Amino acid sequence: MRFERYRQLGILACISLVLTLLLVSCGTYIDLSAVDTHYRQGNFSRALYTLERRSDQMRAAQGPIILAYDLGILNHYSGNWEQSNQLLSESERLIEEAYTKSISQGFASYMINDAAKAYEASAYEELAINLIKALNYLALGESEGALVELRRAIEKQAHFSDRYARAQAQLAATAQADNLPYASSSVRTTFTTSALLHWLASIVSAHLADWSMTSYAQQAALEAFSLQPHLYPFTVPKDLHLGSPREGKARLHLLSFVGQSPEREELVEYLPFSNDLQARIAYPTLQMRPSAVAAIEVTTSDGVRLLLEPIESLERIALDTFGPTAALARQRSYLRTTARLLGKVAVTKEEEEQTLLSLLLDLVFTVSAEVAEQADLRSTHYLPAEAWIGSLDLNPGVYHLVVTYYDKRGAKLASEMLQPVTLSTDSLTLIELIFPR
């Protein structure tokens, strides 16, 4: 009798623990409005300072991957190139570690909800790490380091489709082993080649006289437009057709990031499970935050004017590459909810008289099927929505530049005078502009 009582107390303790986990597993929200305000105003150092003061809360709510990532991006915008690279490298290491662990753990790591495991970075977030690190190296005058990061990003592109296929196979095997319903997703990413990455690789490799890489990168940048027209719905920038600068001229490259990347929102569905039960599933979707910028003009101190051209819609690539991730999240949510509802059905169909224990078990399955299924809305916060480029061939010397942003009506959004730029024929000069609106 005493053993049976201890057994029931142990079961009740487990039930209490499960309910506690279910209730706290969704606590990933953190109020970043103060950081966001400084960020949208272009006060990146203040945004960084504000986020650093909230590092402990950020780590507790969204984990070390996102904390290191966001701090790395804001350090980049603030001109702290070395610190940015250290943080982004740490985030990249943790992302790879989390991916390796998820393969070994299988579906067991998802049984509470997706927010209970390490953050699963999207493809565009992984590529952006190497892109920003490359820009950091260029700012530090280390072109070789920049090209290493760009090569790594280009190599990564080929493996994303394989990763999704492996995750699908793993999920299908788990469902089959547990006799749970499973339907393979037809969602596929169509993104294969980044024009922005290859454009940057072409100008860096040309500076380093790596002509085979230059030729390859230029061709790949053009193919990004021809093979992925839905991701590149704008005219091919003139910069992708440029050769070497004219004799005696120095080339000034400009890269402008505008807007903010899409943010995650929860999508909830109720699917029929039985005559009196519905399966509640929840998974993330991306909501675009379009930039107000429709034109970017750069004017030099001697009156030369240049209109930048869009080279990449990072938000379109984000939506495309996030599709398979969202599909997998939907399938995992359905499997979890089905497993819980099957447990509820098993309890409620017992022929013996309902005991306190069976009622509590029924409560566990009911609450878990409804409460536990919350979409994982964690994400990085400070990536841009679009990238624009342009270049000028000028006489060597010192130039003052003014950049002006316009909206679709031609109204001026903002204008800024940049720090003086020194051009020479033997250096690679890239000016990066950030306008998060």
Side-chain angles (χ1 to χ4, degrees):
M1 179 69 70
R2 179 175 296 179
F3 173 79
E4 178 63 21
R5 177 173 176 78
Y6 285 154
R7 186 184 72 85
Q8 292 193 6
L9 287 174
I11 293 175
L12 289 174
C14 292
I15 292 172
S16 177
L17 176 61
V18 169
L19 286 173
T20 301
L21 287 172
L22 292 174
L23 293 173
V24 303
S25 63
C26 307
T28 62
Y29 173 76
I30 182 170
D31 182 7
L32 295 176
S33 57
V35 183
D36 293 342
T37 297
H38 295 308
Y39 174 72
R40 286 192 295 270
Q41 292 173 346
N43 192 345
F44 304 123
S45 59
R46 190 66 185 177
L48 173 61
Y49 171 77
T50 307
L51 183 59
E52 286 176 334
R53 294 193 63 184
R54 304 207 60 191
S55 290
D56 290 343
Q57 299 99 307
M58 183 70 162
R59 183 182 293 105
Q62 301 210 337
I65 290 176
I66 293 177
L67 174 61
Y69 199 114
D70 283 354
L71 288 175
I73 296 296
L74 290 179
N75 267 284
H76 170 75
Y77 293 155
S78 301
N80 306 323
W81 321 119
E82 292 181 348
Q83 182 68 8
S84 174
N85 271 350
Q86 291 173 10
L87 288 161
L88 291 175
S89 294
E90 174 65 6
S91 184
E92 186 176 27
R93 182 188 67 79
L94 292 172
I95 288 170
E96 182 60 33
E97 184 179 286
Y99 173 66
T100 303
K101 186 179 295 185
S102 72
I103 294 176
S104 62
Q105 289 178 337
F107 185 65
S109 63
Y110 306 132
M111 281 311 293
I112 296 175
N113 71 35
D114 284 354
K117 63 183 180 65
Y119 179 64
E120 182 180 358
S122 298
Y124 77 98
E125 291 172 317
E126 291 197 51
L127 293 178
I129 285 180
N130 302 108
L131 172 65
I132 300 300
K133 287 174 68 177
L135 292 171
N136 284 332
Y137 278 120
L138 289 178
L140 291 167
E142 301 177 21
S143 300
E144 293 85 355
L147 190 55
V148 168
E149 293 298 331
L150 292 168
R151 287 182 183 274
R152 292 185 63 194
I154 290 169
E155 290 171 0
K156 278 183 181 180
Q157 294 174 144
H159 301 299
F160 289 128
S161 58
D162 295 338
R163 180 178 298 186
Y164 296 132
R166 179 180 294 182
Q168 284 272 11
Q170 184 185 55
L171 202 57
T174 302
Q176 183 178 14
D178 294 339
N179 294 314
L180 295 172
Y182 177 81
S184 178
S185 170
S186 60
V187 178
R188 296 288 184 272
T189 178
T190 58
F191 170 74
T192 58
T193 306
S194 165
L196 175 59
L197 284 173
H198 286 97
W199 168 78
L200 192 56
S202 70
I203 65 174
V204 175
S205 58
H207 172 67
L208 295 172
D210 185 345
W211 304 119
S212 61
M213 182 61 183
T214 302
S215 177
Y216 162 76
Q218 288 176 337
Q219 184 61 34
L222 292 171
E223 288 178 353
F225 281 78
S226 61
L227 300 179
Q228 305 165 119
H230 58 296
L231 297 178
Y232 294 87
F234 28 79
T235 304
V236 177
K238 293 187 292 293
D239 266 40
L240 298 189
H241 296 288
L242 289 180
S244 300
R246 299 192 304 273
E247 184 68 26
K249 297 289 185 177
R251 178 161 293 170
L252 170 64
H253 298 281
L254 297 118
L255 168 62
S256 179
F257 290 122
V258 302
Q260 291 183 261
S261 60
E263 59 184 346
R264 293 194 185 190
E265 293 185 352
E266 183 177 66
L267 189 60
V268 175
E269 294 182 29
Y270 285 89
L271 304 178
F273 179 79
S274 65
N275 290 336
D276 57 348
L277 283 177
Q278 286 186 314
R280 180 189 188 278
I281 64 172
Y283 55 96
T285 184
L286 287 185
Q287 182 64 40
M288 295 177 73
R289 295 182 284 182
S291 171
V293 175
I296 306 173
E297 182 183 64
V298 176
T299 306
T300 69
S301 48
D302 55 358
V304 177
R305 302 173 67 185
L306 171 70
L307 284 176
L308 302 191
E309 298 176 282
I311 188 174
E312 195 145 284
S313 171
L314 284 80
E315 59 187 0
R316 285 177 179 267
I317 294 175
L319 290 173
D320 180 79
T321 56
F322 188 73
T325 300
L328 284 170
R330 183 182 187 277
Q331 291 169 326
R332 289 194 297 262
S333 179
Y334 181 68
L335 291 181
R336 283 192 298 263
T337 300
T338 300
R340 294 178 186 121
L341 289 175
L342 286 172
K344 173 182 171 63
V345 170
V347 170
T348 56
K349 287 186 177 180
E350 287 181 351
E351 295 180 0
E352 63 185 11
E353 182 180 353
Q354 292 284 322
T355 63
L356 175 60
L357 181 59
S358 64
L359 289 172
L360 284 172
L361 284 170
D362 180 65
L363 175 63
V364 167
F365 289 118
T366 300
V367 172
S368 66
E370 182 68 25
V371 175
E373 281 314 307
Q374 306 291 328
D376 181 7
L377 300 183
R378 295 173 296 172
S379 68
T380 58
H381 301 90
Y382 303 109
L383 290 176
E386 300 173 2
W388 297 56
I389 63 169
S391 66
L392 287 170
D393 288 348
L394 302 168
N395 293 320
V398 178
Y399 292 86
H400 294 82
L401 304 177
V402 175
V403 56
T404 306
Y405 299 90
Y406 299 93
D407 65 15
K408 293 180 179 179
R409 299 172 302 160
K412 183 187 298 185
L413 293 169
S415 187
E416 176 188 7
M417 176 172 285
L418 307 181
Q419 293 292 326
V421 178
T422 302
L423 292 180
S424 65
T425 56
D426 58 353
S427 64
L428 171 58
T429 305
L430 172 68
I431 302 300
E432 183 184 356
L433 311 169
I434 311 295
F435 189 72
R437 285 193 279 145

